[in-house]
Amino acid sequence: QQGIVFTTALGSGSAHRYGRDALYTDTLAHLLYKGVLKPAAGAAWYSEGGITKTWAPVQADSTGTYRGREMNNGYLYLSCNVAKAQPAILTISGHSMAYFNGEAHAGDQYRYGWMHVPVMLKKGLNELYIRTGFTGRNGGVQVKLIPAAKPLVFGRQDATLPFLVKGMSKDSLLAGIVCLNAGMAAAKNLTIEATTAGKTMRTQLPLLHSLGTRKMPVQLPVPNGFATGTVSYQLRLTDGRQTLDT
């Protein structure tokens, strides 16, 4: 699905100091909390003690990665305008954390690429502040913002899967499957059906909060007489009335 295009991309470095300290310093986050930030190219957001910090334009390279000294140990600011309020999935990699429309979200500093966060776009301006570390040749930040096709879906990455051992006597094994809720209401009474070789097991899931992500415990049936290799499962997410995702 086509992603939402960010119309503004600005960076500002040396905006924070984090580490193995009891207290940290983050001047920009403090100003964001106060609601006084108004990013613009060349605009100063900090001036004290002879030190002035400004916003500078940043462009993504051919791989869609934002990097450069303008945002080292600072923040990358992105914004977009949308015609209507709608849920979306925000995926960022290579960052420490982010604020989307003022709400804090965890980071993916090791660039695994599976930190998919459901968010709610508001009509008009939407703002994203991404806290960065060093973004040199081997660093950088990648960002995708894609409208949610449906509210409840499986996460296609970061599954925790068991090993099937030949000769085992168990009827089932436990797996961890990521589920996302891009809706504005908590999802209750969800079930995952797992089927392989004509055997099906159903697992009742715990509550999945609105705009939430959760790795769900799922029971997988052990097939009879399996050989060496990979065993495939068909998963079905339901709410007791309809299939939500497969």
Side-chain angles (χ1 to χ4, degrees):
Q1 189 174 358
Q2 187 69 30
I4 293 172
V5 177
F6 293 102
T7 54
T8 302
L10 303 170
S12 187
S14 301
H16 55 71
R17 187 182 68 196
Y18 290 83
R20 297 179 180 178
D21 302 316
L23 299 174
Y24 62 85
T25 301
D26 193 327
T27 309
L28 192 142
H30 175 64
L31 296 177
L32 177 62
Y33 172 77
K34 292 175 67 176
V36 297
L37 284 175
K38 297 184 182 300
W45 60 269
Y46 176 89
S47 183
E48 189 173 319
I51 299 175
T52 299
K53 299 176 182 179
T54 60
W55 293 103
V58 179
Q59 287 194 351
D61 62 19
S62 59
T63 67
T65 303
Y66 296 93
R67 60 166 59 93
R69 66 178 62 186
E70 298 89 352
M71 48 187 275
N72 283 345
N73 296 315
Y75 279 85
L76 171 65
Y77 170 79
L78 302 173
S79 68
C80 62
N81 281 275
V82 297
K84 63 178 182 178
Q86 59 182 307
I89 304 299
L90 174 65
T91 305
I92 312 174
S93 62
H95 67 311
S96 300
M97 61 88 65
Y99 297 96
F100 183 80
N101 287 338
E103 294 185 354
H105 296 283
D108 178 17
Q109 62 182 4
Y110 297 113
R111 292 185 287 278
Y112 290 120
W114 42 250
M115 187 70 77
H116 307 299
V117 179
V119 296
M120 180 57 67
L121 292 165
K122 61 184 181 180
K123 181 180 179 179
L125 179 64
N126 292 265
E127 297 182 296
L128 176 61
Y129 291 86
I130 302 172
R131 199 177 85 209
T132 63
F134 179 70
T135 61
R137 182 171 57 184
N138 297 319
V141 174
Q142 293 185 327
V143 187
K144 292 181 181 179
L145 183 61
I146 300 175
K150 47 188 176 181
L152 292 160
V153 296
F154 287 121
R156 304 296 174 177
Q157 298 170 290
D158 191 34
T160 302
L161 302 176
F163 286 97
L164 290 166
V165 180
K166 192 173 183 179
M168 66 168 43
S169 59
K170 293 184 177 181
D171 294 325
S172 67
L173 292 171
L174 190 64
I177 305 297
V178 175
C179 294
L180 288 76
N181 181 4
M184 293 303 292
K188 304 176 182 178
N189 303 317
L190 297 178
T191 299
I192 291 180
E193 294 182 359
T195 302
T196 186
K199 300 178 71 174
T200 298
M201 297 196 77
R202 296 174 177 82
T203 304
Q204 190 72 33
L205 304 183
L207 182 74
L208 181 54
H209 288 284
S210 62
L211 299 179
T213 302
R214 188 169 184 176
K215 182 171 284 190
M216 297 295 192
V218 179
Q219 294 290 339
L220 302 180
V222 176
N224 297 322
F226 61 86
T228 301
T230 301
V231 176
S232 296
Y233 288 85
Q234 176 69 40
L235 300 182
R236 187 166 77 98
L237 178 64
T238 77
D239 61 0
R241 299 168 297 173
Q242 61 181 330
T243 298
L244 303 171
D245 199 18
T246 58

